[in-house]
Amino acid sequence: MKTQRQAKILEIIETMDIETQEQLLEQLSKCGFKSTQATISRDIKELRMVKELTSMGTYRYTTTSKDAASTFITRLNTIFRECVTTYDQAQNLVVLKTLPGLASAACSAIDSMNIPHIVGTLAGDDTCLLVMSDNASAANFCLELKKMVS
């Protein structure tokens, strides 16, 4: 059902100028999809939809044009460069140390990227804990981080 709903959302925003989640909910309902605002909000995030300014001076939902893989690497590079000072792996856990006060921002950015194999994140003041699905995923994540600083 989720896949079908998200496909319909993409179809709707390609054919209509949708400015609000309420308008999107209304159009989905007309197409036979019953949903809630919270679900639509999650769909918008997962589909990486953004609002763009139209020639009429209004806004409309659209999908981002950037390749998801390159966006992931770019954002992770920025986060690492800007606030992460060290990192280490402990089995299926990755611990990132950040500048003071920036752990929450780093975790939030990582969470928004929907990185495969990250089960969840936890932030303190200057420490992020990333829980990975397995040890190999944690090791691979650390290898990607190492490539960024080399």
Side-chain angles (χ1 to χ4, degrees):
M1 186 67 167
K2 176 181 175 180
T3 305
Q4 295 167 335
R5 182 184 63 250
Q6 288 185 348
K8 183 54 78 175
I9 288 171
L10 292 174
E11 181 183 319
I12 290 169
I13 66 167
E14 285 177 20
T15 58
M16 303 175 74
D17 286 348
I18 302 293
E19 291 185 64
T20 65
Q21 291 182 10
E22 291 78 21
Q23 289 175 333
L24 185 54
L25 273 170
E26 182 180 322
Q27 292 304 316
L28 280 171
S29 180
K30 287 180 182 177
C31 296
F33 290 89
K34 300 294 181 204
S35 193
T36 66
Q37 185 276 328
T39 300
I40 296 303
S41 183
R42 283 189 297 273
D43 288 340
I44 288 169
K45 184 178 178 181
E46 288 178 20
L47 294 170
R48 299 184 187 277
M49 291 168 48
V50 295
K51 284 189 175 182
E52 70 177 0
L53 186 63
T54 69
S55 59
M56 306 283 288
T58 60
Y59 287 91
R60 68 182 290 271
Y61 279 108
T62 187
T63 54
T64 59
S65 57
K66 292 183 180 177
D67 174 65
S70 66
T71 300
F72 162 74
I73 296 299
T74 301
R75 288 181 68 191
L76 205 51
N77 275 323
T78 301
I79 292 166
F80 195 86
R81 249 189 347 267
E82 301 281 326
C83 64
V84 174
T85 57
T86 63
Y87 62 92
D88 203 358
Q89 174 195 357
Q91 294 187 25
N92 71 317
L93 305 174
V94 175
V95 177
L96 304 176
K97 295 294 278 182
T98 69
L99 296 172
L102 295 178
S104 182
C107 279
S108 178
I110 290 168
D111 286 342
S112 73
M113 288 186 266
N114 298 317
I115 300 169
H117 306 292
I118 291 185
V119 178
T121 62
L122 182 65
D125 181 57
D126 64 353
T127 305
C128 299
L129 176 65
L130 284 63
V131 180
M132 309 299 286
S133 57
D134 54 49
N135 296 359
S137 297
N140 289 335
F141 189 83
C142 285
L143 285 174
E144 289 300 318
L145 291 175
K146 185 176 182 178
K147 289 177 191 175
M148 287 180 219
V149 296
S150 297

